[in-house]
Amino acid sequence: MIFNKQWLDELVPNSLSAEEVSDIITMAGLEVDSQDPVAGEFTGVVVGEVLTCADHPDSDHLHVTTVRTGENEVLDIVCGAPNCRQGLKVACAKVGAVLPGNFRIKPAKLRGVPSNGMLCSAKELGLSEESNGIIEFPADAPVGTDIHDYLGLNDTAITVDLTANRADCLSIRGIAREFGVLTGADVKYPDIPAVPAAIPDTFPVKVADTAGCPRYLTRVIRNVDLSRKSPLWMQERLRRLGMRSLDPVVDVTNYVMLELGQPMHAFDLDALKDEITVRKALPDEKMVLLSGQEASLTPDTLVIADAAGAVALAGIFGGDRTGVKAGTVNILLESAFFSPRAIKNRARSYGLDTEAAHRFERGVDYQIQAEAMERATRFILDIAGGEAGPVCEAVSAEDLPEPKKIEMPFSLIKEVLGVDVERSAVTDYLSRLGMQPEVKDDMITAVSPSWRYDIAIPVDICEEVARMYGYDRIPNTDPVAPLRMIPRREAHVSAWDIKSLAADLGYHEVVTYSFVDDKSLKALNPEETPIILPHPITSEMNAMRTTLWAGLVNTAIYNMNRQISDLRIFETGLTFISDAASENGIRQEEMIGGLITGNIAPENWYEKPRACDFYDIKGDVERLLEITAGNAEFDFARGSHPALHPGVSARILRNGEYVGDVGLIHPLVQKALGLKKKVFLFQLKMRALTTRSVTAYAEFSKFPSIRRDFAIVIDSGVPAVKILNTVKKNAGDLLQDISIFDIYEGENIAAGKKSLAFSVVLQAQDRTLEDAAIQEISDRIVGSLRESCGAELRE
């Protein structure tokens, strides 16, 4: 929000500088972003009157003029502005004047004709960024008066960076209200009397969506003259607040919006058909906006329509068909309250950002519409003439916001702020803020005003008191924070623990977007249909990831393209799977994924380079699984993931449940993704790792351990893990360790068979094991292997 110091001074008389005003409102929570002069820096420019204007004898665009700049001072000036003419009051820079950019005016000859000054445009004086000719002042402008004095240019434009909850300060009235409370001064609000109807004309209005538009006011004004200019003071105030003067109707609606905070709109009455209807847009409905853009309306958009279709996006932007144009003589003036919910985000969905939408979606005062209508009507009649009809109002009282009555003890203010604020000061603050305070014993009751949507609970009242009392007056105190031990289950494994272990294994953590290319997902996880985004950031980020591998592979490709070929990276994050049984039809699964490629170790003198292989990444996964400390039994089964090589991959099972995959990327997938080297991947569900067995103390055995070696012959297709699991289940509590130390296929072993040798270590806690007990365990191991795996002892 931009406001100028002079306008604020009119409403709240004060002798403060712009810097002091900025400091005061900043300390009240209305942060000032900038302070800027309202014009460029110049001297020696006065009001002049063009006495004569003739064509230059040696030019097709220059004019030779005589300009009166004082009672007895007439200057000869050559001017090239197309709007220069006899009788015009202009801004004249006399010889010796200095314009913005340190441009000094000197006597000169233009194509042989002397010129002793310069007629200035608004751009040349730093009053605007663009201009189409020299400045035209009203006929009553006093000749010889310095431009600074005539236009009041010794002024400052102050920009306030408002938070979304302070829509009440998106007007000079709101700023003045705050400033008046902060300085203890009374605010001189302008008197806005009702304008009596001069004609009986009205226009039919029907509000179909009362929730979106609880109040809608209209007024017919006939015979306006849009060729007239808005008064200079209004043009200047609009300019200083960042708006251009266009025509009387547009200028007035903009002015009322900046003054009172109520956006308004005017329709060309003769272009409207039958009646106004406030409704939601129809399916496939379209309209052409004032900007010339055609908008395809969505059914959730509130529109103003007539019998021929939508004529405006309610609270956002007008339509071209009924817009006020140069030939308009009859208008229908609109002043409405649109619910913030009906306007929020609608402008952005159409690529628009308007002052009206900015205010309506944050909340406009829902009791100010009639006042704004009277203010705008008076200005239009004074500037453009015409006759006004009666004000017509359609209102749904039950759909209007209700003021909130808030009761709280005075003691809460000290509890929240830490200081005692006098009761009289509290009631004065709240009265000036329009909250109608009432005091009874130790309780104070306040009512949220119609322009404050953010006042709802007692601490909101405390905040208002703090702002008005002054944050800088509240002493600094050390906070008291009693320490509280947060319970932490020892069996819980945090994500930090898992990521720390991955880092210890030599992996670097990466963080990638949850949005990836759907083509990558199709190659890496074809079994899941990705969720396609309706409005992606880019075409390469158009789908929600169903696997972490997409981001890891893209990271690997990025690094490989920059000669970084040895990689060990991991990522944790959510994947998003379509699932009708889940909330919103999306199942979110937290995963950890990893990727390795290149050599297992940096090049060195003491060993030969070795490329990483399946067993390297499988070993890393096993280390991650060990974090559960035996809480669950994990198995590796033959892999079947479509993105992995079927012979160099494995499914990871936790107590028989599938929890992840590990393996070499499939050659066809590798080619489709543009990978130039072999890449090994793993992915695990985080929930499979987040619970571990709690370590329990146990004494070391004082008795000797016994090792027994076994050599068995089994089918070549029997996986080693099956042997190990069978032994663990049948060896009993005395088993301390099991290890495979030899696998042999060849001479003296039948075709399709292999010899596998393993050792078991047995130890008792309370005794030395005897041969009979050891033999019993050995027989049980051999018997179980024969039964479950078809194994036979090798002779």
Side-chain angles (χ1 to χ4, degrees):
M1 170 64 189
I2 304 174
F3 70 93
N4 63 298
K5 174 72 165 51
Q6 285 183 2
W7 198 354
L8 179 66
D9 292 346
E10 287 184 17
L11 297 177
V12 187
N14 66 88
S15 58
L16 301 173
S17 66
E19 289 76 13
E20 291 171 324
V21 170
S22 299
D23 289 343
I24 289 172
I25 64 177
T26 295
M27 290 306 299
L30 307 180
E31 183 180 359
V32 170
D33 191 47
S34 65
Q35 304 170 52
D36 303 294
V38 299
E41 187 175 346
F42 61 87
T43 60
V45 182
V46 299
V47 176
E49 180 182 11
V50 179
L51 300 179
T52 63
C53 180
D55 292 338
H56 192 289
D58 195 25
S59 172
D60 59 356
H61 69 280
L62 295 177
H63 306 288
V64 178
T65 69
T66 55
V67 180
R68 183 167 66 91
T69 58
E71 186 172 345
N72 298 310
E73 185 177 33
V74 176
L75 304 177
D76 294 323
I77 297 176
V78 177
C79 175
N83 62 326
C84 183
R85 59 187 182 275
Q86 184 179 355
L88 187 64
K89 295 291 182 68
V90 295
C92 180
K94 300 191 293 185
V95 171
V98 180
L99 302 186
N102 200 29
F103 178 68
R104 186 175 297 275
I105 303 300
K106 301 177 181 178
K109 280 189 177 183
L110 296 178
R111 298 196 178 183
V113 177
S115 181
N116 297 300
M118 175 178 172
L119 305 186
C120 302
S121 67
K123 181 180 180 180
E124 289 163 339
L125 296 181
L127 299 176
S128 69
E129 294 184 1
E130 298 294 335
S131 56
N132 296 321
I134 56 176
I135 298 174
E136 298 186 19
F137 289 137
D140 59 356
V143 173
T145 303
D146 189 280
I147 296 299
H148 286 89
D149 298 331
Y150 179 60
L151 295 179
L153 296 181
N154 297 315
D155 191 10
T156 302
I158 301 174
T159 303
V160 182
D161 189 9
L162 296 173
T163 51
N165 66 312
R166 294 310 306 270
D168 60 299
C169 289
L170 288 169
S171 66
I172 189 66
R173 171 183 278 192
I175 296 289
R177 183 192 299 118
E178 293 281 310
F179 188 64
V181 183
L182 293 169
T183 58
D186 293 330
V187 182
K188 296 182 178 181
Y189 296 112
D191 183 31
I192 305 177
V195 177
I199 56 174
D201 298 17
T202 61
F203 195 81
V205 171
K206 179 174 69 175
V207 179
D209 187 348
T210 56
C213 179
R215 174 173 283 138
Y216 193 82
L217 278 68
T218 57
R219 187 173 215 166
V220 172
I221 303 179
R222 293 192 178 276
N223 301 318
V224 295
D225 182 3
L226 297 188
S227 65
R228 299 184 186 179
K229 294 283 187 182
S230 299
L232 185 62
W233 65 265
M234 180 177 286
Q235 293 183 41
E236 268 298 291
R237 282 188 173 173
L238 290 173
R239 182 189 68 80
R240 295 177 195 189
L241 272 64
M243 292 189 171
R244 291 188 305 120
S245 175
L246 297 175
D247 63 57
V249 172
V250 174
D251 290 354
V252 166
T253 54
N254 283 337
Y255 183 87
V256 171
M257 178 182 68
L258 296 173
E259 181 186 42
L260 305 180
Q262 172 64 45
M264 301 183 70
H265 186 65
F267 300 98
D268 186 332
L269 181 64
D270 298 326
L272 290 170
K273 308 295 182 185
D274 297 339
E275 71 172 0
I276 285 284
T277 303
V278 185
R279 58 168 173 79
K280 290 288 178 61
L282 303 176
D284 302 323
E285 190 170 16
K286 296 182 179 182
M287 67 171 290
V288 178
L289 304 177
L290 282 170
S291 61
Q293 168 193 348
E294 183 179 64
S296 297
L297 308 181
T298 55
D300 63 344
T301 300
L302 189 68
V303 299
I304 313 300
D306 64 5
V311 296
L313 298 176
I316 300 175
F317 209 38
D320 182 68
R321 176 166 62 87
T322 58
V324 173
K325 301 178 178 63
T328 299
V329 292
N330 303 312
I331 64 171
L332 180 69
L333 199 59
E334 169 199 279
S335 179
F337 171 72
F338 298 112
S339 168
R341 290 185 178 182
I343 307 300
K344 189 166 291 184
N345 297 325
R346 301 302 190 279
R348 282 182 287 277
S349 68
Y350 294 102
L352 300 172
D353 183 14
T354 65
E355 293 286 344
H358 185 74
R359 286 164 172 79
F360 276 123
E361 67 182 6
R362 286 160 175 76
V364 168
D365 185 348
Y366 54 87
Q367 293 183 351
I368 202 175
Q369 286 70 46
E371 188 177 9
M373 178 66 80
E374 301 294 353
R375 185 69 161 166
T377 302
R378 182 75 274 161
F379 279 138
I380 290 174
L381 296 181
D382 289 346
I383 299 169
E387 302 87 36
V391 177
C392 299
E393 180 180 26
V395 61
S396 174
E398 59 271 19
D399 290 308
L400 287 170
E402 294 184 3
K404 299 176 180 64
K405 194 171 185 178
I406 305 159
E407 186 177 30
M408 56 173 270
F410 275 102
S411 58
L412 181 64
I413 297 175
K414 181 177 181 181
E415 180 181 339
V416 173
L417 305 186
V419 294
D420 271 320
V421 183
E422 293 184 6
R423 294 190 178 189
S424 59
V426 172
T427 54
D428 181 58
Y429 296 153
L430 300 183
S431 295
R432 288 172 173 271
L433 289 171
M435 296 187 188
Q436 309 167 36
E438 295 180 1
V439 178
K440 185 177 181 181
D441 299 329
D442 189 46
M443 303 296 291
I444 183 169
T445 302
V447 179
S448 61
S450 57
W451 55 84
R452 290 294 298 273
Y453 290 73
D454 58 328
I455 304 296
I457 56 178
V459 291
D460 293 333
I461 303 297
C462 297
E463 182 184 359
E464 294 305 297
V465 173
R467 291 194 314 107
M468 298 301 113
Y469 180 77
Y471 293 128
D472 54 334
R473 295 174 60 191
I474 300 175
N476 294 327
T477 56
D478 295 330
V480 177
L483 295 177
R484 183 167 56 89
M485 298 300 292
I486 300 174
R488 183 177 186 272
R489 292 189 305 111
E490 190 175 355
H492 174 70
V493 180
S494 69
W496 175 259
D497 295 331
I498 297 170
K499 292 195 286 186
S500 296
L501 177 55
D504 291 342
L505 293 173
Y507 286 76
H508 293 276
E509 184 179 11
V510 299
V511 179
T512 66
Y513 284 103
S514 298
F515 316 127
V516 295
D517 182 7
D518 63 327
K519 295 178 182 177
S520 299
L521 293 178
K522 186 176 181 180
L524 289 166
N525 198 17
E527 295 178 345
E528 297 290 348
T529 301
I531 300 164
I532 304 299
L533 301 174
H535 304 291
I537 300 173
T538 68
S539 59
E540 289 78 25
M541 303 171 68
N542 66 338
M544 301 294 289
R545 66 187 178 194
T546 59
T547 173
L548 299 182
W549 288 347
L552 291 170
V553 168
N554 287 337
T555 302
I557 293 173
Y558 181 88
N559 281 272
M560 290 176 183
N561 290 340
R562 288 156 180 80
Q563 289 79 50
I564 302 175
S565 56
D566 299 338
L567 290 172
R568 298 174 79 90
I569 57 176
F570 81 96
E571 181 175 17
T572 61
L574 294 174
T575 58
F576 306 87
I577 311 298
S578 296
D579 184 358
S582 300
E583 185 179 358
N584 299 323
I586 302 174
R587 184 177 81 253
Q588 301 184 41
E589 185 80 59
E590 188 174 10
M591 309 290 286
I592 179 171
L595 177 151
I596 67 173
T597 185
N599 290 331
I600 198 63
E603 185 177 5
N604 56 77
W605 60 268
Y606 54 83
E607 63 180 347
K608 293 181 179 180
R610 180 177 71 81
C612 59
D613 59 24
F614 171 75
Y615 295 102
D616 292 313
I617 195 167
K618 179 175 179 287
D620 293 337
V621 171
E622 288 174 332
R623 289 287 303 278
L624 286 173
L625 299 180
E626 287 173 3
I627 203 170
T628 63
N631 174 264
E633 184 174 304
F634 291 94
D635 294 319
F636 289 85
R638 186 177 296 277
S640 60
H641 196 288
L644 300 179
H645 194 299
V648 195
S649 63
R651 288 164 54 83
I652 305 168
L653 307 176
R654 180 183 188 272
N655 296 332
E657 177 192 358
Y658 165 75
V659 293
D661 293 278
V662 60
L664 172 67
I665 195 167
H666 196 289
L668 295 178
V669 177
Q670 176 182 332
K671 183 178 179 181
L673 295 174
L675 285 164
K676 298 177 182 178
K677 299 181 64 175
K678 289 183 178 180
V679 164
F680 296 87
L681 301 164
F682 78 81
Q683 185 169 254
L684 287 166
K685 296 178 180 179
M686 288 285 278
R687 57 185 172 86
L689 305 176
T690 52
T691 305
R692 65 184 164 203
S693 296
V694 178
T695 303
Y697 170 76
E699 290 185 358
F700 287 104
S701 176
K702 300 176 182 178
F703 300 95
S705 62
I706 304 297
R707 170 173 167 158
R708 287 289 185 267
D709 293 346
F710 300 85
I712 59 175
V713 178
I714 58 175
D715 291 339
S716 298
V718 177
V721 68
K722 187 174 183 181
I723 302 297
L724 296 176
N725 289 339
T726 301
V727 173
K728 291 176 183 177
K729 289 178 182 178
N730 292 276
D733 296 336
L734 299 179
L735 179 67
Q736 299 297 312
D737 189 26
I738 177 173
S739 176
I740 296 174
F741 61 84
D742 183 59
I743 297 177
Y744 173 74
E745 291 179 283
E747 189 176 349
N748 298 325
I749 300 296
K753 299 287 186 176
K754 64 183 176 181
S755 170
L756 187 146
F758 63 92
S759 66
V760 296
V761 177
L762 305 175
Q763 186 180 34
Q765 194 74 23
D766 56 352
R767 67 189 188 281
T768 299
L769 293 175
E770 298 180 354
D771 288 344
I774 297 171
Q775 188 60 47
E776 180 187 353
I777 294 173
S778 299
D779 292 343
R780 193 162 63 239
I781 290 173
V782 173
S784 63
L785 290 174
R786 181 183 294 113
E787 182 178 345
S788 63
C789 304
E792 295 293 340
L793 280 176
R794 183 179 177 186
E795 297 180 356

